[in-house]
Amino acid sequence: MNNIDEQLELLVTANRILARESVVDAYGHVSIRHPEHPDRYILSQSRAPDLVEVPDLMEYALQGDPIDQQGRPMYTERPIHGGIYEARDDVLAVVHNHAPSVIPFTVTNTPLRPILHLAALTGPELPVWDIRDNFGDTNLLVTTMDQGRDLASCLGDRRVSLMRGHGCVIAGKSIREVVMASVYLQVNAGMLLEALRLGDVKYLSPGEIEAMTESQMSLTGQERAWEYWANRAGRGKKA
Ligand code: MN
């Protein structure tokens, strides 16, 4: 299997994992930067992630135009992906989702920060982007490149940004990294909601976050989680 075919299979597996772990439902999506054309990204046609197969995967220019649409319907929120790839040369994969446990932290002043060691890679500070700040009343969907670029500027050089009343984006250097951050972002949010009901919360310190993130980025750790999730998602032990 050549590199591109391998990456496409990985992207299908990522779609299935995010669905199996309830990070996405009918909505939400995951993309990769094209391994041979850095000015393009690869994203499924408009379809629920659990149903995505290799032929659904489409190439897009960073501004959102399809390279060869073949009549397929497209996700309207692809400017989320284009905006981030355009702003960040280091980003090779992006997830957008509406994980329910994350939403309460996008509409209140209670910050979402890691309390669980495995959520360290979501970062010490998670900004909340509010589409209303610069675009007024909208349907909250990120449908223009201006909106995508605005979201990317809120994300800055971080891995995660929340989106008010909508969801979140996760950007990283590999597909395994963004899937892992997406899964533990929502697990941590659910735990934090519970912990806040019990009383004062002790968050991970910046030093702990840095040390644990380094461990999580190790290839061994990433592969162990990926194999587990891929198997649960019915994709065997696909690399
Ligand atoms: Mn959305």
Side-chain angles (χ1 to χ4, degrees):
M1 207 183 279
N2 69 29
N3 183 36
I4 290 272
D5 290 342
E6 229 170 83
Q7 293 293 312
L8 297 182
E9 290 292 340
L10 267 180
L11 186 52
V12 169
T13 302
N15 273 275
R16 305 295 183 80
I17 289 173
L18 292 170
R20 176 66 181 82
E21 303 305 323
S22 303
V23 174
V24 297
D25 48 18
Y27 304 101
H29 20 87
V30 50
S31 69
I32 53 170
R33 193 188 288 274
H34 195 296
E36 288 168 9
H37 303 283
D39 56 347
R40 295 181 190 174
Y41 60 90
I42 302 173
L43 178 70
S44 172
Q45 69 163 311
S46 179
R47 199 167 195 200
D50 201 30
L51 304 176
V52 166
E53 295 173 13
V54 168
D56 296 315
L57 301 177
M58 299 172 58
E59 290 182 26
Y60 292 96
L62 296 192
Q63 289 69 36
D65 297 325
I67 304 301
D68 182 10
Q69 187 176 353
Q70 297 172 20
R72 292 172 285 185
M74 304 183 287
Y75 293 129
T76 53
E77 291 200 285
R78 53 191 191 282
I80 292 175
H81 301 263
I84 295 172
Y85 289 122
E86 199 183 66
R88 294 267 303 269
D89 288 346
D90 62 311
V91 167
L92 301 181
V94 172
V95 172
H96 166 58
N97 72 72
H98 312 145
S101 60
V102 170
I103 305 302
F105 297 97
T106 73
V107 295
T108 58
N109 289 324
T110 305
L112 176 53
R113 286 160 48 196
I115 54 169
L116 171 71
H117 67 314
L118 290 164
L121 82 167
T122 61
E125 181 213 347
L126 287 71
V128 181
W129 179 70
D130 188 342
I131 193 169
R132 199 158 63 206
D133 288 347
N134 289 328
F135 301 96
D137 285 343
T138 63
N139 59 7
L140 278 85
L141 301 177
V142 181
T143 55
T144 70
M145 278 307 286
D146 278 352
Q147 293 167 345
R149 286 170 184 140
D150 195 53
L151 170 60
S153 89
C154 177
L155 175 69
D157 60 3
R158 301 175 189 86
R159 199 173 272 126
V160 177
S161 177
L162 309 186
M163 302 161 71
R164 193 267 305 167
H166 182 167
C168 53
V169 287
I170 299 94
K173 289 179 172 48
S174 76
I175 201 156
R176 287 178 176 83
E177 179 186 323
V178 293
V179 166
M180 178 178 270
S182 301
V183 170
Y184 286 119
L185 177 68
Q186 74 144 359
V187 168
N188 183 78
M191 288 177 174
L192 182 53
L193 287 170
E194 289 298 311
L196 286 164
R197 283 149 38 112
L198 297 179
D200 287 343
V201 174
K202 199 175 265 188
Y203 296 90
L204 299 190
S205 72
E208 286 171 337
I209 288 172
E210 199 183 326
M212 182 58 195
T213 301
E214 204 176 302
S215 309
Q216 279 186 292
M217 289 300 106
S218 81
L219 218 52
T220 324
Q222 298 251 328
E223 277 170 7
R224 176 162 148 190
W226 188 265
E227 185 184 53
Y228 167 72
W229 285 321
N231 190 53
R232 265 164 68 89
R235 294 281 289 171
K237 293 171 185 171
K238 286 198 175 184

